[in-house]
Amino acid sequence: MSSDNTIRLLLINDAPTEAQRLVSMLHNAGRPNRAQHVASEAALTKLLQEHTWDLLIASEQSKQLGAATAIRTINKLQKDVPTVLLTEREGSQPVVEGLKSGARDVVTVDEDQHLLLVIQREMTALHERRQARMHDRRYHATLNRAKELLDSSKDAIAYVSDGLIVYANESFAERFGYSDRDDIEYQPLIDMLTEGEQEDAREFLRQCAINSNEVEAQEWQFTAKTASGAPLGTKAEVLSTIYDEERCLQIRIAASTGNTEELEAKLSEAKVRDAATGLYNRQRFVQLLNNAIQSAAGSQRTGGLMFIEIDRFEESVQQIVGVAGADDLHKKFAELLQSSVRRGDVLARYGEESYCLLMPETTPDSAEIRSKELLKKVADTIFEAAGKTLHITASIGISLLSETSGNADKVLEQASKAHDQALKKGDGNGFALYEPDSEQQGDANTYHRARVTQALEAGNLKLLYQPILSLQGSGEKIYEVLVRLVDGKEELAPLAFLETLGDAGLSTKMDRWVILSAIKAAAAQRAKGEVVSVLLHLTAASLTDASLAAWLGVAFKAAKVPPNAVTFQLRAEDINSNLHAARDFTKQVQDMGCRVAICHFGTGLSPFKALEHVKVDIAKIDASFVREVQDQGEDSEGLVKLVGQLKEIDTQVIVPHVEQANMLPTLWQTGTDYIQGYYVQPPGDEMDFDFSLD
């Protein structure tokens, strides 16, 4: 995971000064962060439900909010927020205790280098888990779409593995006179052929399986037997393929002409409903659950699933009223459940004795309250079936839908496990919320330094220019200048290497090369009549370089570029770590006529503190504020508030990472001065953006 990414950090520590030290330490190490101090379980729950967080660092000795309680709260909400504990105790015991409680690691207080390595590892692992969940969702979405196409196909399609029909769509069942595909699934395909053709069919299918031809289908003509035993001449195509991760044969029979569409229209509703209760059936519910999981993954809303099962169904229902009476009971039980459904909920009959209630938006507390109310309603109701009265109870397992849910199978499995936990608490009529088991939960630097040094000496560097567009119509033509190291076909960002290496000499050398190259490019544009200005990033090493200001004066004169055409951009973390140097440098270049910008603004516990000492002209909001709105679907309250606070102190604002047009009305209303991002234009090799589109 790139060190450029801002860490959304939660801190639990009774000492505010230690919390601030941790924030500063991370900034000094080049890890920008947006930190939030947490002092109570209620506050933690609210923060977890409203925002995405990357990491929790908790003091083992915290009294306001215990680390174990915090980890349990994260697990209860099923949020993927790795926890690192800080301890003052020595030895292995605190490590063992912390890992048992569900922490990812335990680090001794003041062992900052160890802590940084742990944080880097956890951020990389978190990024990989999020990517894996995204790919998993896409994979299952693709499988679901393929399954839906198979189910709805007019062609008769079946998959055969080791001679057994492991899947058949409704069209296949109807083709041979069966009312339901369940009547033929997991039956030998050969049994559906007339006896005289079975041996030849076995040999033909065996050869198809051996050849494993996934491109060219083999034509197969045979005489099948319908459900009534009547012969039916059939022509099919046979193709070797994969179904449900197993090698098998696909049998496809082209749809015949006739009233197929009319027939499918009549059957479409029946296909998604349970015949006895009229509720959605299992197949349709799994589709809807997958859709809900996709929605939950794309936002911070938490959904929930109730897995509801009638207690001791065989003894309390079937043995008393028989099969027909049991169906009558199910109908009445479904009606009771339906009366408790709220807007947006989805109710389905999942199994013979089980039901599922999907709540697209809920909280753990709300789900538990609803479960308790529903169980009381069931227990207080007297049911009638087959002329007899029945008193039944039910048990409920609850699973939450969140960013970690993955797919329907996982959520259903969790809800089923929670149901089992509910049964263990007593003799039924109980509920449980699923909670994961916490137990389940030198040379490189030298190489990078050499690459950057070689690139500077060999000229294997290039500049890219990304336009910054005035949202208020000022007419300025500003480009942020980005440097790339050309390594074969790759273009890498060497500044990421430099900030990690901490090589001051190499960093200042790189900065001066970029400054000189950029102002020469700006001068060339100005000579053509294009009055452009450039935004240049400075590393911490240049910020503390006392000789830089004098060198800049000479460079501006040599390039024939006025200082007011240059804005120097400093990272918030570098300013916080070098307040005196930042104050002196800012004053020096502003006296020349340059402007100074601060980037990654809004990170840390007190972002405005630095501006009390260093007067900047422009603040570039940290990209994480924009990603929350565009990528994660959160509201824009945090972004709007931050822009408003900057405008109150007469500081111009750049909002970067703008990729969607729907961001513009909000930003314009807040008084945002500039926007930057792929919506405007990605970085390019030339300063050729048409600012007249402003």
Side-chain angles (χ1 to χ4, degrees), residues 143-217:
L143 288 182
N144 288 333
R145 285 194 293 271
K147 184 72 162 49
E148 289 171 4
L149 289 172
L150 285 172
D151 290 342
S152 62
S153 175
K154 297 177 184 178
D155 290 347
I157 300 174
Y159 287 90
V160 178
S161 177
D162 294 330
L164 295 179
I165 300 173
V166 295
Y167 166 84
N169 65 3
E170 294 289 350
S171 297
F172 193 90
E174 292 166 9
R175 179 86 174 188
F176 298 103
Y178 293 91
S179 60
D180 196 300
R181 66 189 186 187
D182 289 342
D183 295 335
I184 55 175
E185 284 187 350
Y186 294 97
Q187 300 301 316
L189 175 64
I190 294 299
D191 289 354
M192 297 181 65
L193 276 62
T194 56
E195 293 183 5
E197 297 192 20
Q198 289 183 357
E199 284 303 318
D200 290 342
R202 282 194 181 94
E203 180 60 23
F204 173 78
L205 295 174
R206 188 176 72 85
Q207 288 299 324
C208 288
I210 291 173
N211 293 338
S212 298
N213 192 330
E214 297 187 13
V215 179
E216 296 182 6

Side-chain angles (χ1 to χ4, degrees), residues 278-298:
L279 302 178
Y280 283 125
N281 59 22
R282 178 175 184 155
Q283 180 182 353
R284 179 57 176 158
F285 179 74
V286 170
Q287 294 171 351
L288 295 172
L289 178 57
N290 270 317
N291 293 341
I293 291 169
Q294 294 281 346
S295 298

Side-chain angles (χ1 to χ4, degrees), residues 58 60-61 67 71 83-109 111 114 118 121 438-439:
E60 179 196 37
Q61 292 80 22
I71 293 172
T83 300
V84 177
L85 299 184
L86 300 179
T87 182
E88 295 180 357
R89 295 186 289 162
E90 297 182 354
S92 62
Q93 189 60 30
V95 178
V96 172
E97 292 174 1
L99 295 178
K100 280 185 174 181
S101 72
R104 297 281 181 173
D105 211 337
V106 181
V107 179
T108 305
V109 172
E111 292 286 346
H114 182 191
V118 168
R121 180 194 69 202
S438 61
E439 293 182 4

Side-chain angles (χ1 to χ4, degrees), residues 10-28:
L10 294 171
L11 291 172
I12 297 176
N13 200 303
D14 291 345
T17 54
E18 175 60 18
Q20 184 60 56
R21 189 194 72 80
L22 286 171
V23 171
S24 300
M25 182 273 292
L26 284 170
H27 280 312
N28 294 342

Side-chain angles (χ1 to χ4, degrees), residues 264-285:
E264 287 197 0
K266 292 179 180 178
L267 293 173
S268 60
E269 183 65 15
K271 287 180 180 179
V272 299
R273 295 286 178 180
D274 172 61
T277 63
L279 302 178
Y280 283 125
N281 59 22
R282 178 175 184 155
Q283 180 182 353
R284 179 57 176 158
F285 179 74

Side-chain angles (χ1 to χ4, degrees), residues 457-532:
E457 293 174 352
N460 293 333
L461 293 169
K462 64 181 291 189
L463 296 183
L464 298 178
Y465 308 95
Q466 185 171 29
I468 298 174
L469 186 64
S470 171
L471 199 58
Q472 306 299 327
S474 69
E476 293 177 276
K477 300 178 180 180
I478 309 175
Y479 291 91
E480 179 169 7
V481 179
L482 309 169
V483 61
R484 294 292 182 264
L485 185 155
V486 182
D487 187 357
K489 294 183 179 180
E490 286 188 297
E491 291 186 4
L492 309 174
L495 291 179
F497 300 159
L498 295 173
E499 289 163 355
T500 303
L501 294 173
D503 189 323
L506 198 54
S507 294
T508 54
K509 189 175 181 181
M510 172 68 76
D511 282 348
R512 294 194 182 197
W513 181 90
V514 172
I515 293 169
L516 202 53
S517 301
I519 60 177
K520 285 181 179 178
Q525 289 295 313
R526 285 176 164 250
K528 298 176 185 178
E530 292 290 330
V531 184
V532 302

